[in-house]
Amino acid sequence: MTSGTVSGTATGTAPYGAGASAEPAARFRDLLAAEWLKLWSLRSTPWAYLVTALAVIGFNVGQAYDTYRYWTDEAAGDADEFVRDGIPLAEAFTSNAAVIHLLAAGAIGAVTVVGEYGTGLIRTTFAAVPARRSVMAAKAAVVAAVTTVFGLLVAFVSFFSTQAILSGRDIGVSLDHPGALRVVLASALLTPVAALTGMALGTLLRHMGSTMIASVMTLLVLPMVVSPDRYWSALIAHSLPYPAWRRLTEPGAHFGPYPWSAGGAWTVYAAWALAAVAITVFSVDRRDQ
């Protein structure tokens, strides 16, 4: 009898109920829900979005109000030229507002990763869900979705509020004005591109200070350093998000001896977003947590 029991064990017969105790692998929609909860469980998250929105919209509205305030009766004859030169679209989303938007979105994206590394929560997450790539893909998807909606909201509010102010002097334009929708979409989609870039840098560096410096250098300083007057330098400039935004929102601007197309600028947006997601997802398997 004892021999039978030993034999049964040796042949690998599993005890009753052993297979039922194994937990099923987490589904991707469950990971999305978990990342959504983690994102909004931080009290700083809504404040970060609110402050960014107020700052960006405030810069744009302030510029439009200055134009409204100092628009004189003598300048009324120049209204057609004002619109024809694209100045209402330039004031719908100014370069100063774009810089703030770019840096804030990069910081928001970085915090979603670096915050977990700083607290050690990332180890708990990977212990609960060993499929690291799936976790990071869910995190990137949530950040991309939230920042895209946020970018659209800020861009549309900026456009309609600035044009409402300028319309008081009959120099505002509507959304169906040539180039208007492109300005709104380019400004809105700059948000997820910057946020995903910040997330990728945070995944690589895992330290808030280093990530913020790298984000500023990549998104802001590098476009200021490269020159559009030399071929290879112009190629570098054309491959960066901020110059791509300028190309899409300032169609009449002079970009040096090496001009580029709007399609190329949209391609830069897509390439940076996809590259950032790839770095975020695939780099976690190559380093200890």
Side-chain angles (χ1 to χ4, degrees):
M1 187 172 187
T2 302
S3 174
T5 304
V6 173
S7 176
T9 304
T11 57
T13 304
Y16 176 77
S21 62
E23 295 185 2
R27 295 171 297 182
F28 190 69
R29 66 181 181 183
D30 296 328
L31 298 180
L32 290 174
E35 292 302 327
W36 174 268
L37 292 175
K38 280 195 288 186
L39 177 66
W40 296 107
S41 64
L42 297 173
R43 287 184 295 179
S44 60
T45 297
W47 284 107
Y49 283 104
L50 177 61
V51 171
T52 301
L54 291 177
V56 172
I57 295 171
F59 264 96
N60 296 329
V61 168
Q63 181 64 49
Y65 180 73
D66 280 346
T67 301
Y68 171 86
R69 181 179 179 183
Y70 295 106
W71 188 266
T72 62
D73 293 336
E74 290 77 10
D78 299 328
D80 292 339
E81 183 179 356
F82 185 88
V83 174
R84 187 169 57 252
D85 290 343
I87 300 177
L89 296 183
E91 296 189 358
F93 213 97
T94 65
S95 58
N96 288 336
V99 168
I100 294 174
H101 206 49
L102 194 72
L103 297 181
I108 288 172
V111 167
T112 59
V113 174
V114 179
E116 283 200 61
Y117 279 108
T119 60
L121 179 60
I122 197 71
R123 298 187 184 91
T124 304
T125 300
F126 288 154
V129 185
R132 296 180 178 183
R133 291 182 181 180
S134 297
V135 172
M136 300 307 288
K139 192 183 295 291
V142 169
V143 169
V146 172
T147 54
T148 298
V149 173
F150 174 71
L152 287 169
L153 176 64
V154 171
F156 274 106
V157 170
S158 289
F159 178 83
F160 287 115
S161 58
T162 55
Q163 301 315 302
I165 293 171
L166 295 176
S167 293
R169 301 294 188 187
D170 294 324
I171 52 176
V173 298
S174 61
L175 191 59
D176 59 359
H177 183 82
L181 186 59
R182 183 167 66 180
V183 168
V184 173
L185 292 179
S187 302
L189 295 179
L190 186 65
T191 318
V193 171
L196 291 172
T197 300
M199 173 178 282
L201 292 172
T203 304
L204 293 175
L205 300 176
R206 304 181 181 184
H207 183 270
M208 184 60 70
S210 302
T211 302
M212 291 298 101
I213 292 174
S215 181
V216 171
M217 294 294 292
T218 302
L219 296 173
L220 182 60
V221 176
L222 185 57
M224 295 181 177
V225 172
V226 293
S227 170
D229 298 327
R230 294 182 175 87
Y231 179 73
W232 289 107
S233 182
L235 287 182
I236 296 174
H238 294 171
S239 65
L240 299 174
Y242 181 65
W245 172 82
R246 287 195 59 210
R247 175 61 185 83
L248 293 169
T249 59
E250 302 173 21
H254 178 66
F255 290 99
Y258 305 104
W260 52 320
S261 66
W266 288 120
T267 302
V268 169
Y269 269 32
W272 273 76
L274 291 174
V277 171
I279 291 172
T280 300
V281 171
F282 292 104
S283 64
V284 292
D285 281 341
R286 299 183 177 274
R287 297 175 62 186
D288 293 333
Q289 307 310 316

